[in-house]
């Protein structure tokens, strides 16, 4: 019930393309869904987050799509750049409670 | 924005010694702090949750006598790895939840612990 499943495990996208990472959750009590970006040797940094009362949120090149009925959410990175190469984690939590992380996606943007 | 400072960033210690890692919220009061462990190419694994002034809540399988967590103030939590062994070598990351800034989690930059 606490799991968050993330796919793909790794992703290679050409520069300028769209990177898409998907997550699915089981616990319907989750009400906060963030995405984190992590570079090697650094802590995760919040990219964008969504609450279940909206189906989409966009911040710059990053968009979260949220499907409450399917219990799925995804991260879209538009116009992907080499600097976006990092590991991305989805997560979910109930208000103020501990985060449950997905398994991570290693994204590589190639020229 | 909310900033969490974690120190040290890297530490090497000998087997059998203890190591303390500090996590400070610099510009906010942290009601709750979380401690994670991350192995190479893996996700973050929650070790424990600490609330200011009370005992930490440890996740199943985490030895509370080995990983001592103290959250003595609203801006400081410490993780002490006692009697460290090579298998304790890992990347440790803290996270803090602000008391009055709504729902958000700010992460420290992590501590790379190597036990030799």
């Amino acid at each position: 019930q606490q799991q968050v499943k993330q796919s793909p495990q790794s992703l290679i996208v050409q520069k300028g393309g769209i990177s898409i990472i998907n997550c699915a959750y089981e616990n319907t009590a989750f009400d906060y869904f963030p995405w984190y970006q992590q570079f090697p040797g650094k802590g995760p940094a919040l990219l964008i987050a969504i609450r279940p009362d909206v189906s989409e949120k966009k911040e710059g090149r990053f968009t979260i799509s949220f499907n409450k009925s399917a219990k799925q959410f995804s991260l879209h990175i538009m116009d992907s750049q080499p600097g976006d190469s990092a590991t991305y984690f989805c997560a979910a939590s109930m208000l103020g409670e501990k985060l449950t992380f997905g398994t991570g996606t290693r994204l590589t943007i190639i020229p | 924005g909310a900033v969490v400072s974690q120190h040290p960033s890297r530490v090497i210690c000998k087997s059998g010694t203890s190591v303390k890692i500090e996590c400070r919220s610099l510009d906010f009061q942290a009601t709750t702090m979380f401690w994670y462990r991350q192995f190479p190419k893996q996700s973050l694994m929650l070790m424990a949750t600490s609330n200011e002034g009370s005992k930490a809540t440890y996740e199943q399988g985490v030895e509370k006598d080995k990983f001592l967590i103290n959250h003595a103030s609203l801006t400081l939590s410490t993780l002490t790895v006692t009697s460290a062994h090579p298998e304790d070598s890992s990347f440790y990351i803290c996270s803090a939840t602000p008391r009055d800034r709504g729902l958000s989690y700010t992460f420290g930059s992590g501590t790379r612990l190597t036990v030799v």
Side-chain angles (χ1 to χ4, degrees):
Chain A
Q1 265 260 316
Q2 291 290 78
Q3 273 191 322
V4 177
K5 296 181 180 178
Q6 183 171 345
S7 64
Q9 189 174 6
S10 62
L11 180 63
I12 299 173
V13 173
Q14 206 147 22
K15 179 182 175 183
I18 302 173
S19 303
I20 302 174
I21 305 170
N22 301 296
C23 282
Y25 63 98
E26 299 172 356
N27 190 340
T28 54
F30 286 149
D31 60 1
Y32 177 68
F33 303 89
W35 284 91
Y36 290 90
Q37 179 188 58
Q38 186 180 31
F39 292 103
K42 301 294 183 184
L46 178 66
L47 264 181
I48 187 171
I50 199 168
R51 302 294 300 276
D53 51 347
V54 297
S55 60
E56 185 174 282
K57 183 175 181 180
K58 183 176 181 179
E59 290 183 2
R61 295 187 294 111
F62 302 96
T63 300
I64 295 181
S65 296
F66 184 80
N67 187 328
K68 188 174 181 178
S69 60
K71 292 187 286 185
Q72 295 175 346
F73 59 111
S74 61
L75 175 69
H76 291 62
I77 305 174
M78 313 299 287
D79 187 27
S80 300
Q81 299 297 312
D84 297 330
S85 297
T87 300
Y88 292 80
F89 292 97
C90 64
S93 75
M94 288 177 280
L95 187 66
E97 301 296 317
K98 61 186 180 183
L99 283 169
T100 299
F101 280 89
T103 49
T105 296
R106 179 169 287 195
L107 174 65
T108 303
I109 307 301
I110 57 175
Chain B
V3 177
V4 172
S5 174
Q6 189 171 338
H7 179 81
S9 58
R10 292 176 177 269
V11 58
I12 301 173
C13 70
K14 291 184 177 180
S15 286
T17 61
S18 296
V19 174
K20 181 183 284 188
I21 302 170
E22 290 189 348
C23 181
R24 293 181 185 273
S25 57
L26 297 186
D27 55 353
F28 66 96
Q29 293 184 327
T31 313
T32 306
M33 287 188 173
F34 304 90
W35 286 95
Y36 296 84
R37 185 174 182 176
Q38 186 178 33
F39 291 106
K41 298 184 180 181
Q42 293 190 22
S43 188
L44 285 76
M45 182 186 75
L46 181 66
M47 299 174 66
T49 302
S50 73
N51 293 295
E52 184 262 341
S54 61
K55 289 185 178 180
T57 302
Y58 290 81
E59 295 298 300
Q60 193 172 12
V62 178
E63 301 175 59
K64 59 183 178 182
D65 293 332
K66 180 167 189 60
F67 299 100
L68 300 179
I69 291 173
N70 184 282
H71 192 161
S73 77
L74 282 170
T75 59
L76 174 66
S77 178
T78 60
L79 167 67
T80 301
V81 183
T82 62
S83 186
H85 291 284
E87 58 266 29
D88 299 324
S89 298
S90 189
F91 194 53
Y92 293 87
I93 310 170
C94 69
S95 171
T97 300
R99 166 185 270 186
D100 58 358
R101 297 191 187 185
L103 182 62
S104 65
Y105 303 82
T106 302
F107 285 82
S109 55
T111 297
R112 171 73 61 194
L113 170 63
T114 303
V115 185
V116 297

